[in-house]
Amino acid sequence: MSIMYGAVFVQHLLLSLVPWLVGLAVGGGLGYGCALVARALFSNRPALRRPLMLLPWRTVAVTLPLLSPLIPVLLGLGRLAGAAIVGLFVFLFAFPLAVVTLLEHRYPSPLAVRLIAQARTLGTASVAVAAVMTRVAGSGGAGALILEGIQLLDYYAVFMGFSVVALLALMVDLLLGGLQLRFSLSARGAQPLQSAVV
């Protein structure tokens, strides 16, 4: 029993930490490069900083992992598919978070803007988590449609379920992004050197 437990522990370690390191290295590296490009762009055109906070990177980061059940269709069942799913998830968060962290260091935002940005991330994530948990709990919704479509190889159903999640996440993302932009503009007079890029 303890040998089996040890084997499961090692297997889970390899399926979680190795893809985490790869996703973090690739996503963080690309994020660092994009942050350098953005800094150069903002040096020449500082007016772009605030409007770019409306970019819906959170929607992309939380909805693309919903397509991860299609990875075994492409790679087959096994450790490689499992590692690819974890690596994709880590990459999709590491890339934009690296950009945001580096730009936030260079152009710090007011506290209210940072809090709204965190609420925005959690709001879009909750839409995706609801889709995943409905598949597990059997409580319906877009997640059930995605799961049923994958099981029946009905890619139209997968697309429809994914579209519902992506649209709802995008609505939350842009609504809170507008609020974030509003707070950023109202704080402009009090803190002229600060800018929000999150």
Side-chain angles (χ1 to χ4, degrees):
M1 185 70 171
S2 62
I3 293 174
M4 187 173 84
Y5 179 79
V8 169
F9 180 83
V10 170
Q11 186 179 34
H12 197 77
L13 181 73
L14 292 174
L15 284 172
S16 56
L17 294 186
V18 171
W20 168 68
L21 290 171
V22 173
L24 189 63
V26 175
L30 286 175
Y32 181 78
C34 284
L36 292 179
V37 170
R39 279 173 53 179
L41 180 65
F42 296 159
S43 295
N44 295 328
R45 304 184 80 176
L48 286 176
R49 290 190 296 237
R50 282 191 174 85
L52 284 179
M53 81 171 60
L54 291 175
L55 283 174
W57 65 262
R58 293 163 178 85
T59 299
V60 174
V62 301
T63 55
L64 282 183
L66 293 177
L67 295 177
S68 61
L70 294 176
I71 291 176
V73 174
L74 300 172
L75 299 179
L77 296 174
R79 291 187 186 128
L80 180 60
I85 290 169
V86 175
L88 172 66
F89 181 82
V90 172
F91 169 81
L92 288 171
F93 274 93
F95 173 67
L97 287 177
V99 175
V100 167
T101 302
L102 292 165
L103 290 178
E104 185 66 35
H105 178 70
R106 176 79 173 209
Y107 309 104
S109 304
L111 177 61
V113 174
R114 289 192 307 246
L115 290 174
I116 295 169
Q118 299 307 318
R120 188 176 169 192
T121 300
L122 291 173
T124 53
S126 71
V127 174
V129 169
V132 172
M133 295 317 293
T134 55
R135 291 190 292 195
V136 175
S139 54
L145 188 61
I146 293 169
L147 178 63
E148 183 179 314
I150 289 170
Q151 289 172 338
L152 300 174
L153 296 179
D154 181 356
Y155 296 112
Y156 179 74
V158 173
F159 174 76
M160 290 304 295
F162 180 78
S163 298
V164 168
V165 175
L167 180 62
L168 185 54
L170 184 62
M171 288 169 56
V172 171
D173 200 355
L174 293 180
L175 180 67
L176 290 174
L179 187 63
Q180 190 180 350
L181 181 60
R182 174 87 170 102
F183 271 80
S184 174
L185 293 173
S186 65
R188 188 176 184 181
Q191 298 168 338
L193 298 177
Q194 293 186 342
S195 174
V197 188
V198 287

